[in-house]
């Protein structure tokens, strides 16, 4: 992969993202976690469309949060380049989620470098459809993300559409949720 040139207004380390039309994020599947159900800290490979890894992400959270709070747990996530240099730091406090508790919705600060907030992702209260707003460092909405009413389907792609606040639809994120046996099979096939 060629080293990208510095771009004005783009934080150091994020220049490579400007050259991509697709980003694939792969969660590391731990067999201990699959077999026991004991949640471990998540780790991700972040790759281009040719499956060349350019970032690596790792979660920091307490064991108690992972086991008791599941997807609404507090965590931080550090995203590093292939040389181990920190690029992005994500910080999500514990908050409730969805229609049950509209007064304490999910938020996540995006920092680049750590300590410099470049944006924030906020959950928007709705009854059924997951919605998020992506805000810049000034608090202005730059993107809206809208999911489907049913986003818990197994073995299928779940689309989240991304809309620019100014120009309309930009792209989509496809989340693939697989069943237990398929996840194990895919992991075993990766080792062959």
């Amino acid at each position: 992969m060629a080293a990208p040139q510095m771009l004005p207004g783009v934080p150091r380390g994020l220049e490579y993202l400007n050259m991509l039309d697709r980003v694939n994020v792969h969660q590391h599947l731990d067999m201990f976690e699959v077999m026991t159900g004991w949640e471990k800290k998540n780790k991700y490979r972040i790759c281009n469309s040719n499956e060349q890894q350019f970032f690596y992400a790792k979660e920091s959270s307490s064991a108690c949060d992972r086991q008791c709070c599941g997807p609404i747990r507090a965590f931080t996530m550090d995203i590093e380049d292939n040389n181990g240099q920190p690029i992005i730091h994500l910080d999500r406090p514990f908050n409730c989620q969805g229609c049950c508790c509209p007064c304490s919705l999910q938020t996540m600060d995006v920092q680049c470098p750590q300590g410099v907030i470049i944006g924030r992702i906020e959950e928007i209260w709705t009854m059924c459809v997951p919605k998020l707003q992506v805000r810049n460092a000034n608090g202005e909405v730059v993107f809206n993300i809208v999911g489907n009413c049913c986003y818990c389907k197994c073995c299928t792609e779940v689309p989240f559409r991304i809309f620019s606040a100014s120009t309309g639809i930009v792209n989509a994120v496809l989340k693939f949720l697989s069943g237990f046996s398929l996840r194990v099979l895919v992991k075993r096939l990766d080792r062959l």
Side-chain angles (χ1 to χ4, degrees), residues 120-190:
R120 179 173 230 200
I121 303 167
E122 298 177 344
E123 181 182 16
I124 304 301
W125 184 82
T126 64
M127 288 298 289
C128 296
V129 178
K131 291 185 180 178
L132 303 166
Q133 285 185 333
V134 180
R135 297 178 179 272
N136 63 18
N138 298 325
E140 303 161 332
V141 175
V142 290
F143 296 108
N144 291 296
I145 302 173
V146 181
N148 280 349
C149 184
C150 182
Y151 57 94
C152 298
K153 302 178 212 171
C154 287
C155 303
T156 186
E157 291 178 346
V158 180
F160 288 82
R161 296 177 313 280
I162 303 172
F163 298 89
S164 167
S166 58
T167 62
I169 194 160
V170 174
N171 215 325
V173 173
L174 298 176
K175 181 176 182 180
F176 186 77
L177 301 170
S178 59
F180 171 77
S181 59
L182 180 60
R183 294 177 93 186
V184 173
L185 177 62
V186 168
K187 187 62 179 174
R188 287 185 181 164
L189 290 175
D190 285 347

Side-chain angles (χ1 to χ4, degrees), residues 46-125:
I46 303 171
C47 304
N48 63 21
S49 59
N50 294 325
E51 291 302 326
Q52 296 170 313
Q53 179 179 317
F54 59 91
F55 287 158
Y56 181 77
K58 56 187 174 188
E59 170 188 350
S60 293
S61 60
S62 75
C64 183
D65 278 351
R66 288 191 307 277
Q67 304 321 309
C68 299
C69 302
I72 62 172
R73 68 182 172 271
F75 70 84
T76 61
M77 185 168 292
D78 291 308
I79 301 174
E80 303 172 342
D81 66 15
N82 287 336
N83 297 321
Q85 295 299 309
I87 303 296
I88 300 171
H89 178 80
L90 305 174
D91 186 6
R92 187 177 84 174
F94 171 81
N95 280 317
C96 292
Q97 182 176 9
C99 65
C100 298
C101 194
C103 58
S104 181
L105 299 172
Q106 293 290 327
T107 63
M108 182 165 45
D109 287 333
V110 180
Q111 303 171 22
C112 182
Q114 186 170 349
V116 178
I117 295 177
I118 62 169
R120 179 173 230 200
I121 303 167
E122 298 177 344
E123 181 182 16
I124 304 301
W125 184 82

Side-chain angles (χ1 to χ4, degrees), residues 6-32:
M6 293 291 295
L7 298 170
V10 176
R12 186 195 69 73
L14 299 182
E15 305 90 355
Y16 184 70
L17 293 173
N18 201 46
M19 301 177 350
L20 301 176
D21 63 347
R22 180 179 175 154
V23 173
N24 297 325
V25 180
H26 304 285
Q27 183 175 358
H28 172 74
L29 186 62
D30 187 282
M31 291 306 290
F32 175 80

